[in-house]
Amino acid sequence: MLNSGDTAWMLISTALVILMTIPGVAMFYSGLTKRENVLNTIFLSFVSFGVVSLLWFLFGYGLIFGGDISGIIGTQISSISLTALNSASEYAPTIPGGLFAIFQMTFAAITVALISGAVVERIRFSSWIIFIPLWFTFVYVPVAHWVWGGGFLQNLGVYDFAGGIVVHLTSGIAALALALVIGPRHDQKLMPHHLGYSVIGTGLLWFGWFGFNAGSALSAGNLATDAMIVTNTSAAAGMLGWMLMDRIKTGKPTLLGALSGAVAGLASITPAAGFVDIGASILIGFLAAMLCYLAVSWLKPLLGYDDALDVFGIHGVSGVIGTIGVGLFAIPALNPALTGGGLITGSTALLTSQVIGVVTVIIYTFTVTYILASLLKKWRGLRVEREDEIQGLDINLHEETGYRLT
Amino acid sequence: MKKITAIIRREKLEDVKDALELVGIHGMTVSDVRGRGQQMGIRESYRGMDYCVDLIPKVQVEVVVDSEDLEKVIETVTENARTGDIGDGKIFVTDVLDVVRIRTGERGKKAI
């Protein structure tokens, strides 16, 4: 039975999540790159949204949420008929089926856009456009089916409220694999050309995340409200956690640190938003920020990969923390969908299934992304010419310039 | 005639401009420049990684004056651009062979 309140909230949530990619991620990322690459960086997010929007209704939605073959993939190839989409989905019986479909589409779109942060300032635009459908088809679609669409991980008892595994872990791990295949930039300094853009981008992300997480309740009620509250507290704790690390390491809090911590807090609470209490959300956000800080400032230079905007260091690590956090802190009283609680309720079963979920998806995502990227590299090249990279991509790939200040 | 090229802190530009105005010097060319002196840059930190920025943004003020105004201009710029800290900048003085006002074709002192 359709509910107009739920429908209204989900329409708004869908719009909020769209805002997270364009302009949220686009602005956040563009402020962090060199001025000669500001447009290209925005464009990578923008075009991801466009390509995924089409793929989603051509086959993505049906293969994730329609039917099931052995827990691996859905059965419904096409989901292009509006008449078919009008009937409510079993996943969200109180809203139109099409609304559930487009809400889920926004998750796929932002996941792909997030990956671009690892390879900005050097990836060929045309290769990126080819990478999107390949990665969407062979990584996002199966993983989303496994976790959300009745696949084997869901059957195993893996819980991912709003995409800690499906969105943040996959994008983070894919970012690492892609960064390893494409190689480091000639100039690896992260010297943001316009932190103001990143402030606006983060603001839009934080704002949109209420649609992302509270919308994942798929209804307008207590669960959505709970998710909204813990989303906010986790973001706040993440911001303060990163500031504390900054203070310890350099003696001064930085704005980019605060933004990064907030994003870590938001990403880490994503899988847990509908399952944990406020105290747990603070712990998750705080811990995620501190571990992301270490991943970015210690692990990255130690291993030498060039994840330009720290997609692995922030989204990948946060995805793991939050997903494990579900296994530690989930409370069945908050969400009837839970069949058992986390470690704090005295049970280890949920923690075990969460760890299995994380490990499985890390191995699968890394392997398949690495293979896809390597094939693409061999076939047509992933990287721009050396001169184009040094001069900047805006002029050389798009014949446009971000700033004409005279 | 002399050209005074003063490289100063950005935030001191308004003070220097106003002070020059008071001593009767109106014409000037101002450019944004980057450079370094003895201090060799400043430290910036992004996501826990330290970077040394060794070319620091400054403002370059160029003024062409009659030779007899030279000391007055140097004194004015020095007084108004100084904070006493590292990075206050430098003044260079060069000879100017001639000046031409494009609109009228006037030359020399009259064209300044």
Side-chain angles (χ1 to χ4, degrees):
Chain A
M1 178 85 177
L2 291 187
N3 177 297
S4 61
D6 290 351
T7 304
W9 167 236
M10 293 310 296
L11 284 164
I12 291 167
S13 289
T14 304
L16 286 174
V17 188
I18 291 174
L19 201 67
M20 289 175 72
T21 307
I22 44 173
V25 172
M27 292 296 286
F28 180 51
Y29 281 177
S30 69
L32 298 178
T33 52
K34 296 181 193 76
R35 59 184 291 158
E36 295 81 5
N37 298 322
V38 58
L39 298 182
N40 177 262
T41 303
I42 291 173
F43 208 172
L44 293 177
S45 291
F46 221 72
V47 79
S48 302
F49 194 89
V51 174
V52 173
S53 291
L54 297 180
L55 299 175
W56 184 258
F57 286 102
L58 289 175
F59 63 87
Y61 176 66
L63 285 179
I64 296 170
F65 292 102
D68 176 63
I69 304 173
S70 311
I72 304 294
I73 197 75
T75 52
Q76 202 180 318
I77 301 298
S78 173
S79 41
I80 206 163
S81 156
L82 278 177
T83 326
L85 285 174
N86 278 346
S87 52
S89 154
E90 58 180 297
Y91 296 97
T94 63
I95 64 171
L99 179 51
F100 175 70
I102 192 167
F103 178 65
Q104 290 295 337
M105 180 205 84
T106 61
F107 285 65
I110 194 169
T111 307
V112 176
L114 284 172
I115 301 170
S116 70
V119 289
V120 291
E121 304 197 317
R122 65 209 192 273
I123 194 166
R124 283 171 71 167
F125 190 72
S126 53
S127 295
W128 175 248
I129 292 181
I130 296 169
F131 176 79
I132 299 170
L134 289 175
W135 191 84
F136 173 78
T137 308
F138 294 107
V139 180
Y140 189 86
V141 166
V143 171
H145 179 76
W146 299 347
V147 177
W148 284 338
F152 74 96
L153 289 178
Q154 194 174 27
N155 295 333
L156 205 69
V158 174
Y159 285 87
D160 180 2
F161 188 71
I165 296 177
V166 177
V167 175
H168 298 288
L169 190 59
T170 59
S171 61
I173 298 297
L176 179 63
L178 194 54
L180 285 171
V181 175
I182 201 169
R185 288 165 295 167
H186 295 301
D187 174 11
Q188 290 183 55
K189 281 186 199 163
L190 172 68
M191 299 285 271
H193 90 282
H194 197 325
L195 269 185
Y197 284 174
S198 300
V199 175
I200 296 168
T202 310
L204 289 163
L205 282 172
W206 194 323
F207 174 68
W209 227 294
F210 293 131
F212 199 88
N213 284 4
S216 289
L218 301 171
S219 60
N222 271 336
L223 188 57
T225 312
D226 293 351
M228 181 178 269
I229 291 170
V230 297
T231 298
N232 194 62
T233 46
S234 181
M239 178 167 74
L240 296 175
W242 198 297
M243 286 166 64
L244 180 68
M245 293 298 281
D246 263 344
R247 181 80 173 78
I248 292 168
K249 178 143 187 237
T250 65
K252 287 173 188 158
T254 62
L255 178 60
L256 177 57
L259 302 180
S260 309
V263 172
L266 289 162
S268 61
I269 197 61
T270 296
F275 306 126
V276 303
D277 217 337
I278 296 171
S281 75
I282 294 170
L283 268 177
I284 288 172
F286 201 76
L287 194 66
M290 296 177 100
L291 292 176
C292 289
Y293 184 98
L294 292 176
V296 166
S297 69
W298 174 73
L299 187 66
K300 185 166 84 159
L302 184 75
L303 300 180
Y305 59 89
D306 182 20
D307 172 6
L309 306 182
D310 300 311
V311 187
F312 168 70
I314 295 182
H315 294 276
V317 172
S318 294
V320 173
I321 309 289
T323 305
I324 303 297
V326 174
L328 296 174
F329 302 115
I331 304 170
L334 286 172
N335 189 333
L338 280 169
T339 49
L343 203 60
I344 53 163
T345 65
S347 165
T348 55
L350 182 56
L351 182 59
T352 309
S353 57
Q354 294 300 96
V355 171
I356 292 171
V358 165
V359 173
T360 309
V361 172
I362 286 177
I363 294 171
Y364 179 79
T365 303
F366 186 86
T367 310
V368 176
T369 310
Y370 199 92
I371 292 169
L372 291 176
S374 302
L375 290 174
L376 195 52
K377 185 178 176 180
K378 213 165 193 176
W379 171 37
R380 62 190 319 281
L382 271 178
R383 198 159 173 151
V384 295
E385 299 296 324
R386 184 187 162 87
E387 307 87 77
D388 291 351
E389 185 179 331
I390 291 167
Q391 285 174 6
L393 305 186
D394 292 355
I395 280 291
N396 287 304
L397 300 194
H398 309 298
E399 296 188 357
E400 290 176 298
T401 182
Y403 303 92
R404 197 175 302 284
L405 305 173
T406 54
Chain B
M1 292 175 295
K2 304 283 184 189
K3 181 165 91 166
I4 295 126
T5 304
I7 295 168
I8 61 172
R9 294 178 187 276
R10 288 167 144 188
E11 64 271 22
K12 283 289 180 189
L13 176 62
E14 287 304 311
D15 290 349
V16 169
K17 220 167 60 172
D18 293 346
L20 286 174
E21 187 87 33
L22 286 176
V23 296
I25 305 295
H26 307 294
M28 65 180 66
T29 304
V30 176
S31 343
D32 287 319
V33 293
R34 290 191 303 154
R36 66 182 183 189
Q38 287 169 340
Q39 84 272 27
M40 290 294 286
I42 52 173
R43 200 186 72 156
E44 292 183 18
S45 174
Y46 296 101
R47 282 187 176 155
M49 306 282 278
D50 288 338
Y51 302 99
C52 181
V53 180
D54 61 0
L55 292 175
I56 299 170
K58 296 279 174 191
V59 161
Q60 177 172 292
V61 182
E62 291 165 293
V63 185
V64 175
V65 294
D66 185 40
S67 298
E68 64 189 37
D69 289 334
L70 179 64
E71 286 308 317
K72 181 174 73 179
V73 172
I74 290 175
E75 201 177 302
T76 307
V77 172
T78 310
E79 271 175 22
N80 287 281
R82 180 185 292 142
T83 67
D85 292 325
I86 287 172
D88 274 350
K90 286 215 167 52
I91 294 173
F92 304 101
V93 181
T94 47
D95 285 323
V96 173
L97 294 179
D98 203 355
V99 176
V100 181
R101 176 171 280 129
I102 294 171
R103 176 171 56 87
T104 58
E106 290 166 294
R107 302 185 71 143
K109 255 172 81 170
K110 279 192 288 183
I112 291 177

